[in-house]
Amino acid sequence: MIAMHLCVLLYPPKALSQSPVLQFTANYVQASSSVTSYTAYPTSPGTFSSCNSNNYTYTWSNGTDNQLKLTSFTANSKTYVVAGSPGVEVKLRRVNNATVTGTRNILYSETTAASATSCVTPRQLDFKAPYNDDMAEFLNNNVLNHGTDNVFTNASNGDGNNNNIERVDVVFTTGIATSLPADAGFVLCERGNNNAHDGFRIAAILSIDGSNNPTSFGATKNCTAGNSSNNGSWGHPTIASGNKLLAAYVLRKDPADTYLRVSSNVNQEIGGVFFSLSDLGVVANQIIYGYCLLGPDGTANPTSAQILNTSNAAVFPTTTTEAQGGGLDLISINTFYGTNQALANSLVTLFKGSVQYTDAILNWNLTSLAGGTIINLERSEDAVTFIPVFSYQYDSDVNRSYQESPGTGNFYYRLQIESVTGSKIYSQVVKLTINQKQQGWKIYPTLVRPGESITVNNIAGGLYTASLQNITSAVVHRAVFNAQNGKGVITLPQKKLRAGTYLLFIEKDGYQLFGQEKIIFQSD
């Protein structure tokens, strides 16, 4: 059996200390590859054993739908969104066993074919994702269509896909904390068949050393194999709820190999399970440094010292088989998720955005922050990887705004709030769409008399200031007006203005909207 990939999120305590993921939101993004193609023989043993004397051509980053990134999910009637992954390091703790020594990397990757079959002809395998053969590196993302295989399996896999990994550490080097630990946590995902997702154990990392290695852990929590229909652990959303059937190939790279080589073929969907910070025993505003994963076998309820010692075979058996639960196929484990309320941490009283022609306009207000807190406005094109576009040091509870022209398409914005101790929390994410075909604001009529009204079309709701300038650029009239349902009305002055041509400009929140309109005044 090949283990499945599931999404795990932290959630509030209850009879089971986790919640099944019931809905996914994921989008493909384009990504290039450092390795575009190569030729290599299939592995042996493996599903391709009957054709392992034939060289196969492997190609990567085919098309534009390369990485399928998870941006949000639903568990226990709540929606959780990306809260960022600041300073994440994924560390694979390997212990050599009788089957595997050294650094072996085993993964699966989605093919461009409608179905993954063995010994295909012509001998070519085309993959959507970029080439990546480092398990720790491709676990350090929230990509669903390229992940690991059989993480904790040490022996007896029929395709030879055995590992020597005993513990997986996901370290948030700057620490994370929230006042709402029941509404924030981490997501892990697994590829596999419904009702057949693999079990594991999870524990919070309570402290780290100067090299970002864990030094202490919280109590272990169990995720049992199966899914929510039979035990309440894993969730396996339907296709209608955002799941996807992945046609994929399992590949392996041994220390002596130059590149990945195909081992077997799978056609499976994705499952997910949610553990909140509360589920891991974390209380409000407690700083932790991520979490670790262990196989489901070995000493039950190990102490922090026992978890730390991966050489302890009683806690970390080196003979774990898939039948014993070692077949976890991990994906998407490095990202911190939470509800909008948890991410805002009750400090963001306003965060909204609007689009004006080609400009994105963001407005926000923060309250009760300590002096020296750094506020970063961040932007993303995929709701996963964010970059700062505006930063300042918090000094008072005042309304702030920012305007930019990022281009066309979908853009995601959020606030990162960094305390003087370095801990970070995040606001909700605001999505703005700038359409390349979008027209700027327009007015009618353009031929007017004093006292008449002008209607402004294609404008977002809110208060605006209109300025009328004459040919010498002097402002001869200002008016405040309100826009609703895409339009607003400007009333012109009753007094006579000299007949001729004037220019109309519009401002919102101190920023001038792109464009201007000509108005011709007629004499009475």
Side-chain angles (χ1 to χ4, degrees):
M1 179 188 83
I2 294 180
M4 302 158 285
H5 288 296
L6 296 168
C7 291
V8 179
L9 302 171
L10 306 175
Y11 192 80
K14 52 185 179 188
L16 289 168
S17 62
Q18 65 269 339
S19 298
V21 174
L22 303 178
Q23 180 271 334
F24 292 123
T25 299
N27 300 296
Y28 279 103
V29 299
Q30 189 170 0
S32 60
S33 182
S34 59
V35 176
T36 55
S37 67
Y38 58 87
T39 58
Y41 291 103
T43 63
S44 182
T47 305
F48 282 68
S49 293
S50 62
C51 51
N52 64 11
S53 60
N54 297 293
N55 253 324
Y56 274 72
T57 298
Y58 302 72
T59 69
W60 301 85
S61 280
N62 289 284
T64 57
D65 289 345
N66 304 127
Q67 293 180 321
L68 181 62
K69 291 195 173 185
L70 179 67
T71 58
S72 68
F73 62 90
T74 299
N76 199 37
S77 301
K78 296 183 180 181
T79 296
Y80 297 81
V81 296
V82 173
S85 51
V88 180
E89 293 184 17
V90 176
K91 300 171 181 281
L92 304 179
R93 307 300 179 180
R94 297 177 183 269
V95 178
N96 290 334
N97 55 53
T99 306
V100 182
T101 60
T103 302
R104 166 178 281 184
N105 289 283
I106 309 174
L107 62 90
Y108 76 87
S109 196
E110 184 184 13
T111 177
T112 60
S115 178
T117 58
S118 63
C119 295
V120 295
T121 303
R123 309 294 187 189
Q124 180 164 323
L125 301 175
D126 301 314
F127 297 96
K128 293 184 177 183
Y131 181 86
N132 191 333
D133 59 19
D134 186 323
M135 292 177 74
E137 184 178 324
F138 62 70
L139 277 174
N140 197 353
N141 56 48
N142 54 325
V143 174
L144 299 179
N145 62 334
H146 188 88
T148 64
D149 191 78
N150 289 350
V151 170
F152 295 122
T153 295
N154 302 138
S156 301
N157 177 264
D159 292 319
N161 292 328
N162 302 295
N163 272 304
N164 58 352
I165 298 169
E166 296 301 325
R167 197 182 80 211
V168 177
D169 296 336
V170 184
V171 183
F172 285 67
T173 58
T174 60
I176 51 178
T178 176
S179 63
L180 299 171
D183 284 353
F186 306 99
V187 62
L188 294 82
C189 297
E190 189 191 44
R191 182 210 74 243
N193 297 321
N194 195 9
N195 293 319
H197 293 294
D198 291 292
F200 63 90
R201 290 178 291 176
I202 182 172
I205 297 173
L206 302 183
S207 61
I208 57 176
D209 62 19
S211 299
N212 297 325
N213 293 312
T215 55
S216 63
F217 304 87
T220 57
K221 307 295 180 178
N222 294 321
C223 177
T224 56
N227 83 347
S228 57
S229 66
N230 56 26
N231 59 38
S233 292
W234 289 106
H236 192 99
T238 64
I239 297 295
S241 295
N243 211 330
K244 178 178 174 59
L245 176 62
L246 296 175
Y249 288 97
V250 178
L251 307 107
R252 188 168 76 232
K253 181 187 176 186
D254 291 324
D257 292 333
T258 303
Y259 295 111
L260 291 163
R261 298 189 294 150
V262 67
S263 171
S264 61
N265 57 292
V266 292
N267 296 278
Q268 293 176 321
E269 297 175 5
I270 301 167
V273 59
F274 171 65
F275 281 85
S276 72
L277 297 182
S278 292
D279 291 335
L280 297 184
V282 178
V283 299
N285 300 314
Q286 178 185 356
I287 297 176
I288 66 166
Y289 296 88
Y291 62 97
C292 73
L293 300 175
L294 297 71
D297 56 346
T299 301
N301 303 315
T303 65
S304 175
Q306 288 175 318
I307 296 174
L308 191 62
N309 182 14
T310 53
S311 296
N312 185 339
V315 180
F316 300 99
T318 58
T319 57
T320 304
T321 66
E322 285 186 87
Q324 293 171 321
L328 184 69
D329 301 331
L330 269 180
I331 47 178
S332 183
I333 66 173
N334 80 325
T335 307
F336 188 47
Y337 287 78
T339 63
N340 285 342
Q341 184 181 9
L343 305 187
N345 206 32
S346 302
L347 298 174
V348 183
T349 59
L350 167 73
F351 185 49
K352 64 180 182 178
S354 61
V355 174
Q356 296 291 349
Y357 192 56
T358 59
D359 285 358
I361 302 175
L362 287 306
N363 297 276
W364 65 92
N365 183 266
L366 306 174
T367 61
S368 305
L369 293 178
T373 300
I374 301 299
I375 311 301
N376 295 306
L377 176 67
E378 298 181 329
R379 181 185 69 228
S380 172
E381 295 185 31
D382 60 10
V384 176
T385 302
F386 285 82
I387 61 172
V389 295
F390 175 65
S391 300
Y392 67 96
Q393 184 170 299
Y394 175 86
D395 54 8
S396 60
D397 300 340
V398 298
N399 290 322
R400 292 273 185 167
S401 63
Y402 177 80
Q403 184 171 358
E404 67 170 2
S405 299
T408 56
N410 293 325
F411 297 94
Y412 303 83
Y413 293 87
R414 71 182 182 192
L415 295 173
Q416 181 198 77
I417 304 170
E418 182 177 357
S419 72
V420 293
T421 63
S423 63
K424 299 179 178 70
I425 58 175
Y426 297 83
S427 74
Q428 68 186 73
V429 175
V430 169
K431 178 183 177 182
L432 298 178
T433 300
I434 299 178
N435 190 338
Q436 192 172 17
K437 298 180 180 179
Q438 183 180 23
Q439 300 297 315
W441 57 276
K442 298 293 182 182
I443 65 170
Y444 72 89
T446 57
L447 183 64
V448 296
R449 297 179 186 276
E452 293 184 341
S453 296
I454 295 175
T455 298
V456 184
N457 278 325
N458 196 29
I459 192 170
L463 288 175
Y464 294 82
T465 300
S467 300
L468 199 61
Q469 295 182 8
N470 62 19
I471 58 174
T472 66
S473 298
V475 176
V476 297
H477 178 65
R478 289 188 189 276
V480 176
F481 69 97
N482 185 51
Q484 292 181 328
N485 300 320
K487 65 181 180 180
V489 176
I490 302 170
T491 301
L492 297 173
Q494 291 288 344
K495 68 180 181 178
K496 290 185 178 180
L497 293 174
R498 180 176 297 177
T501 300
Y502 294 79
L503 292 178
L504 180 67
F505 298 87
I506 296 178
E507 296 179 5
K508 187 176 191 297
D509 299 321
Y511 292 96
Q512 183 175 301
L513 273 61
F514 180 87
Q516 60 190 30
E517 287 288 337
K518 289 183 179 180
I519 295 176
I520 299 175
F521 266 84
Q522 292 180 306
S523 299
D524 286 339

